[in-house]
Amino acid sequence: MRKSHVALLIPVYGDQKGLEKTLSTLPSDLPLDVVVVDDGSHPPLVLPPVGEPHRAFLLRLDTNQGITRALNHGLHWVLERGYPYVARLDAGDLALPGRFGRQLRFLEENLEYGLVGGQVRFVDLEGRETHRERFPTEDWEIRRVMHARNVFMHPAVMMRTEALKKVGLYRETYPAAEDYDLFFRLMRHYKVANLPEEVLVCRINPGGISLRKRRQQLRTRLRILAENFEPGLKESWLGLAKNLALFLAPTPLVFWAKRLLKGRGGWF
């Protein structure tokens, strides 16, 4: 079987069942080379079989090093082997039929674009739908709204590897928001887009965010927004004010507000 044009990167820590579910439901419309990075799981992950026309590769880190290092470990492997495109997916999430084919066609037909995402449906741990969120699709709108919030779901994107070579990989100095930083860097050199169709079912864990993780992520977001601040853009002011308010607010209040507002425009 020949190498695919698209490497599908999946970093995993300790979620064997989620990995099995994700790989067992991969769409078959486009051949993928699936690159699973085991981020020091104990016991080590076992690579489940993937059906035709896909191939799968398992990379292991000896110790748990966190998602940024796991992602970069996988990306180095992908770049060394000359894949022109890399897509993202997380264990437990489901790629919807036609996703990868549509994203590949978009990037092949629009050479000025370095990244394409899509719409997402959110479900709880039992698979019940919690909400859907509509992300902007056009480059001009994304550039504006990104200053208020991240409008790309990380496991829903496909990127051009030449773009990653140009702007660099994920940076460890932006903990818990390494994707947000990367997307801003990509936008400095390339156009970006979201497909109007749903491409992903995202599994969310309402109790999975600790106080330390939340505050770390907000601190990093504030830094990213400050570095990309545009005084003439109202979204830049909104983004800073929103994240500062979230950083100062008690965690229970934030979680209550998120439950109340879920699916109503993605203010958080």
Side-chain angles (χ1 to χ4, degrees):
M1 184 186 298
R2 69 179 182 86
K3 182 177 75 173
S4 169
H5 287 300
V6 180
L8 176 60
L9 180 58
I10 307 177
V12 191
Y13 176 63
D15 191 2
Q16 180 72 42
K17 289 185 178 179
L19 178 62
E20 291 172 358
K21 182 176 182 180
T22 294
L23 294 189
S24 69
T25 56
L26 280 180
S28 58
D29 58 299
L30 181 75
L32 302 168
D33 280 0
V34 182
V35 183
V36 176
V37 182
D38 181 356
D39 186 17
S41 301
H42 294 285
L45 295 173
V46 176
L47 185 64
V50 292
E52 294 287 346
H54 310 306
R55 303 188 304 175
F57 305 87
L58 179 62
L59 312 180
R60 295 192 193 276
L61 295 175
D62 293 335
T63 59
N64 178 235
Q65 300 183 35
I67 188 170
T68 304
R69 289 191 179 183
L71 285 167
N72 284 339
H73 185 73
L75 282 180
H76 283 299
W77 190 94
V78 168
L79 294 177
E80 287 170 0
R81 284 155 183 80
Y83 291 88
Y85 305 98
V86 59
R88 278 280 289 110
L89 195 57
D90 282 340
D93 292 348
L94 305 180
L96 293 175
R99 167 199 163 171
F100 300 108
R102 287 196 296 270
Q103 290 182 322
L104 177 61
R105 283 194 297 274
F106 181 91
L107 291 175
E108 289 190 328
E109 293 171 1
N110 299 275
L111 300 182
E112 70 275 27
Y113 283 76
L115 165 75
V116 61
Q119 310 306 316
V120 179
R121 184 190 321 156
F122 297 88
V123 299
D124 62 20
L125 296 179
E126 283 71 47
R128 297 185 295 257
E129 182 176 327
T130 61
H131 65 287
R132 303 185 187 199
E133 186 174 344
R134 195 71 189 169
F135 297 113
T137 58
E138 300 294 331
D139 176 75
W140 66 267
E141 186 177 9
I142 290 171
R143 290 179 180 276
R144 176 174 57 81
V145 180
M146 277 288 282
H147 289 268
R149 63 186 178 100
N150 190 351
V151 298
F152 292 107
M153 280 299 296
H154 196 185
V157 303
M158 181 181 291
M159 297 174 284
R160 198 181 300 278
T161 55
E162 284 298 323
L164 293 173
K165 291 177 184 177
K166 186 178 184 70
V167 307
L169 307 186
Y170 298 94
R171 298 197 286 193
E172 294 183 41
T173 50
Y174 293 81
E178 66 286 328
D179 57 331
Y180 200 21
D181 167 62
L182 176 62
F183 300 154
F184 265 110
R185 285 187 282 129
L186 285 168
M187 289 194 304
R188 293 173 193 159
H189 301 277
Y190 298 89
K191 289 186 174 181
V192 293
N194 276 311
L195 297 179
E197 302 90 359
E198 285 187 352
V199 300
L200 181 75
V201 177
C202 181
R203 180 187 63 171
I204 57 175
N205 182 357
I209 302 176
S210 67
L211 174 62
R212 180 188 61 80
K213 183 80 168 180
R214 181 182 78 88
R215 291 181 66 82
Q216 182 185 55
Q217 184 180 63
L218 288 168
R219 188 180 293 109
T220 305
R221 283 182 183 175
L222 283 167
R223 178 183 168 197
I224 293 168
L225 291 170
E227 291 173 348
N228 293 278
F229 187 74
E230 295 185 19
L233 195 65
K234 67 178 182 180
E235 284 80 8
S236 277
W237 295 97
L238 174 62
L240 283 176
K242 177 192 73 173
N243 282 277
L244 182 59
L246 290 172
F247 184 78
L248 297 174
T251 300
L253 177 62
V254 173
F255 288 165
W256 173 83
K258 289 180 72 172
R259 288 194 296 270
L260 181 67
L261 298 173
K262 66 182 179 183
R264 301 181 187 178
W267 197 83
F268 290 93

